[in-house]
Each structure stands twice: as C-alpha cells, then as structure tokens.
Amino acid sequence: MTPVGGTSQSAKKGILERLDAGEIVIGDGGFVIALEKRGYVKAGPWTPEATVEHPEAVRQLHREFLRAGSNVLQTFTFYASDDKLENRGNYVAEKISGQRVNEAACDIAKEVAQEGDALVAGGVSQTPSYLSGKNEAEVKTIFRKQLDVFVKKNVDFLIAEYFEHVEEASWAVEALKESGKPVAATMCIGPEGDMHGVSPGECAVRLVKAGASIVGVNCHFDPNTCLRTMKLMKEGLEAAKLKAHLMSQPLAFHTPDCGKQGFIDLPEFPFALEPRIVSRWDVHKYAREAYNLGIRYIGGCCGFEPYHIRAIAEELAPERGFLPQASEKHGNWGNALSMHTKPWVRARARKEYWENLLPASGRPYCPSLSKPDDWGVAKGAAELIQQKEATSEQQLKELFEKQKFKSNK
Ligand SMILES: [Zn+2]
C-alpha cells in the first residue's frame, strides 16, 4: 500500500456524510501538552493565545497531524472562552481578546485543512463559570461567543469536548446546535461517570437528547480506560434506543491507577508524565479495539503526537485502503529496520517483535503505579469558585498546607 497525497480537488464530504457511510474518521492529537513542551503554551491556564502570538507553531502542528492521517483539524480553542482567558490573573482576555484568539485558530486550521482531505471542527470546552456556580443562561452566553466566531469563519462542524459534568456538556451542545451545524460531544470521564456521579451510559443519552450526533470521551484517561467507558456509553444508548456515532480521543499516557478525576489527579501531572507515554504499538492495539467496538471517529487527546495518529492510520489501513503521507517515512511494523546497519536491530524488523515487547522504563527506583490525590472536589465546592485576580500567596499557602496534610494521612 502506498501513501496517498492529501490534495483532493473535489468538494469535501461532511463529517456526518462520512460517518453515515461507515467511513473511519481519524481525529487529531493533543495541542496543549505538545505546545507546552515546545514553549508556546503555559501549563496552568493552558490557554491557546499561541494562535495569535505564535501562529507558525500552531500551523506546523496541524500540518504534522494532517500528514499523519488526521481527517479532522480541531481549532486550537481549548479553554478559549472569555471567562477562562481572564481567570486567576490571565492577561489574554484584556491584552489580546477571546475573539481574536478564536478567529486566528479558525484561520490557521482552515488554511492547513485545505492542504488535504481534512475537515475543520470548532471546539469549546468546560468553563470556569460553570464551576463557579453560574446558571444555564450565563454559561450558554459564554459558549455563544466562541460559536459566533465559528459560524462567521464557517467551520465544518463543532465539538464540545472535555466536560467533567454532563449538565454543562448538555448546555454546550444545546448552544452549539443553534448554529445548525453537526455537533460532537465528548466528556473527560471514566467508567465511574461524571463528577456528579452520572453514569457514562446516562451521559451519552443526555448528550444525544441535547442534540449531539456524535458522542464519546476525550482526555483524562488512557486508551484502555476510555474504551471501557465507551462500552458503557454504547450500552446506555442501545438501552435507550438512541442512535449516535461514537468517538474516542484518549490520552497517550498509561493511567490504570487513576481515580474518577483522571490524570490531573496523578502526582506526575503535568510535568513528569513522560514515563507513562504510550508507544505507537500501544496505539495500534487501541485503534483496533476501538474499531471492533464500533467506534468510527478515532483520535487522541493530550500526549497524542503525530506519530501516534499515524499509528491509528496504519493499523486501520486495510479497512481504509490507504496510508497517510507520513507513512512514507515509516515501514509497516518496523520493517524499515531491515535497512539498519546492526544485525540485532535488523532482527527487529517484524510485527511479532514490537507487538510482544514489554518496554522497560529504565527507572529502577520508581514505582510502576502512583496514588492519585483524590481531593474529591466537584462543582459546588468553595475551592472551585474561580476569580479574576491572580491566586494570592495566602491562597497558595493554604493549598500547600492541605496537600501536606493529605499526603501524611
Ligand atoms: Zn487532553
């Protein structure tokens, strides 16, 4: 199978046309984590002003995902709601403006999408307003500001992603649906359900009833855990006799030890997660299992780099009939290693070798699993009330004390 180039002159098929026809749609990977490591995003606010400050960095990452096989380029608008851009001392709302960040994100994604067979999805995510107890009308107003930009820039469809509470996710879907464009909705939940204890099956049902055509999970958990959650969502939809396309975009980090809150609860989050990164061969397994479960929108979230997306495209190449451009530089299951000078490395040029390898971490004094923080705070807790001013020294001191107390228990 030879890789195919991207430029398709014919009009692109929409997201629902593709999924309704049974096609596999490959999503993209994680922007905030990748661009943080490259020096363009600050961990903490995780906001996407790089679209204005460093458009070339955002453009390049989109281009790499496209070459790797992504059929959807999500606008880099994660946490780009106005309330997040002015939260806890963030300067972006005042100095740049949410509108400019969102407009630039659309322009960049659209420019790169034209280089191949990719659609552009405008994305919204959970808001500080919801966590602070604002009501439905107030939270929907926040989503509509981003939606106005997506409509003006005429993106292909919309994604409400990274929601811990199904109530807020449903409000997002309802607001996005006002545009008439197809809406996908993914929650960052595991098998235990949302932060208020709503089961994955019930979450899926509520999202479809709110108007989502595609539902699933993203972020917070590893591929295995996400697929367990997806199975519960699928069963919930079947029991309610509802139809929707399924979508999964997990982390590229192994998280078997996570609690309900996902990887942000792990002590390694976010600056020491490297030992947990999944290999491209783990992604082959994930892509196959997702496909077998009936998921047809398969992508990744934090930690997913272009080579992980290429692994999805390579695993599912027999079903799709083509390889992505980036496979020109990658032999199937490592077979390009047959060109290596060293004989023992040439001996690794086969599927059985990589499929059965148990990679070592090289860290003899490290545990293989950690204990999640498990502070157990959800919407309604006083510590989740957000504020415009920067977190004060006193506020930090109280948290440091609480952390010491918790870890000594
Ligand atoms: Zn993520």
Side-chain angles (χ1 to χ4, degrees):
M1 217 178 292
T2 46
V4 296
T7 41
S8 126
Q9 296 306 318
S10 58
K12 286 176 190 171
K13 282 196 278 177
I15 187 68
L16 294 181
E17 270 180 277
R18 295 177 193 220
L19 292 168
D20 289 344
E23 284 180 34
I24 297 164
V25 171
I26 297 182
D28 58 8
F31 271 66
V32 283
I33 294 268
L35 291 177
E36 192 281 329
K37 287 176 175 164
R38 297 174 194 187
Y40 300 107
V41 161
K42 191 180 279 180
W46 300 113
T47 53
E49 58 275 15
T51 59
V52 173
E53 293 175 341
H54 300 283
E56 72 291 349
V58 179
R59 188 179 297 116
Q60 176 63 19
L61 189 52
H62 277 308
R63 195 166 276 143
E64 289 172 21
F65 281 124
L66 182 69
R67 263 181 62 79
S70 295
N71 299 123
V72 177
L73 304 185
Q74 286 184 232
T75 56
F76 182 33
T77 50
F78 180 77
Y79 274 164
S81 59
D82 279 8
D83 58 344
K84 184 70 182 177
L85 297 176
E86 63 170 21
N87 193 35
R88 293 194 181 275
N90 197 344
Y91 64 90
V92 180
E94 196 187 317
K95 297 222 167 104
I96 299 177
S97 98
Q99 188 182 335
R100 262 186 80 200
V101 168
N102 282 276
E103 285 176 353
C106 292
D107 290 341
I108 298 167
K110 287 194 80 156
E111 179 193 331
V112 179
Q114 282 167 6
E115 297 169 10
D117 184 32
L119 301 171
V120 171
V124 302
S125 39
Q126 66 182 6
T127 64
S129 292
Y130 179 79
L131 285 184
S132 304
K134 296 274 172 69
N135 66 30
E136 177 177 344
E138 290 168 310
V139 174
K140 281 183 171 172
T141 300
I142 295 280
F143 293 132
R144 284 193 195 106
K145 282 192 188 169
Q146 285 184 272
L147 179 63
D148 285 346
V149 175
F150 300 146
V151 169
K152 191 172 80 180
K153 295 289 182 182
N154 197 23
V155 300
D156 297 300
F157 71 106
L158 302 160
I159 301 179
E161 67 168 7
Y162 196 79
F163 285 89
E164 297 175 309
H165 302 85
V166 70
E167 180 179 49
E168 187 187 17
S170 301
W171 294 349
V173 171
E174 286 166 8
L176 296 181
K177 248 342 246 187
E178 291 165 7
S179 69
K181 290 181 186 288
V183 175
T186 57
M187 296 186 63
C188 49
I189 59 170
E192 290 179 65
D194 90 343
M195 299 308 287
H196 286 147
V198 182
S199 71
E202 177 62 19
C203 286
V205 166
R206 288 201 205 171
L207 294 173
V208 172
K209 286 186 174 166
S213 309
I214 306 163
V215 297
V217 293
N218 80 295
C219 209
H220 274 202
F221 297 91
D222 63 21
N224 288 338
T225 311
C226 281
L227 292 181
R228 280 196 285 131
T229 313
M230 288 304 300
K231 189 164 178 286
L232 296 170
M233 284 191 156
K234 187 182 174 187
E235 287 167 2
L237 291 174
E238 282 167 0
K241 299 194 168 30
L242 288 173
K243 272 203 163 17
H245 296 291
L246 301 176
M247 165 171 178
S248 74
Q249 305 217 87
L251 298 177
F253 301 110
H254 292 289
T255 65
D257 38 355
C258 270
K260 192 176 180 178
Q261 182 71 71
F263 83 141
I264 57 174
D265 234 14
L266 291 173
E268 299 87 1
F269 176 86
F271 295 132
L273 286 163
E274 286 83 353
R276 294 175 176 267
I277 293 175
V278 305
S279 72
R280 66 192 71 194
W281 315 117
D282 294 325
V283 173
H284 271 265
K285 192 163 167 271
Y286 152 64
R288 180 55 53 193
E289 287 175 1
Y291 180 82
N292 289 343
L293 193 58
I295 301 168
R296 290 296 177 269
Y297 188 139
I298 305 172
C301 199
C302 299
F304 256 80
E305 295 273 352
Y307 73 99
H308 291 115
I309 294 297
R310 180 177 62 187
I312 299 175
E314 291 187 350
E315 174 62 29
L316 298 173
E319 283 78 11
R320 306 175 85 218
F322 62 92
L323 285 164
Q325 277 180 306
S327 291
E328 281 168 8
K329 297 294 184 187
H330 193 241
N332 193 25
W333 285 97
N335 68 14
L337 293 178
S338 61
M339 296 166 76
H340 204 278
T341 48
K342 303 290 194 290
W344 61 91
V345 182
R346 288 201 295 277
R348 297 172 190 165
R350 61 201 167 97
K351 181 178 180 180
E352 297 72 35
Y353 178 84
W354 295 109
E355 204 173 34
N356 296 312
L357 181 76
L358 297 175
S361 75
R363 296 171 185 268
Y365 304 110
C366 290
S368 56
L369 299 176
S370 291
K371 201 167 154 287
D373 273 356
D374 195 22
W375 283 22
V377 291
K379 182 205 162 194
E383 289 153 306
L384 280 183
I385 306 284
Q386 301 299 309
Q387 61 192 41
K388 201 168 169 179
E389 59 278 14
T391 307
S392 69
E393 288 297 323
Q394 182 54 33
Q395 286 175 321
L396 278 177
K397 216 175 126 199
E398 286 165 20
L399 294 177
F400 297 158
E401 286 306 314
K402 184 169 173 182
Q403 186 180 51
K404 276 186 212 156
F405 173 74
K406 291 240 175 214
S407 51
N408 287 337
K409 267 205 304 193

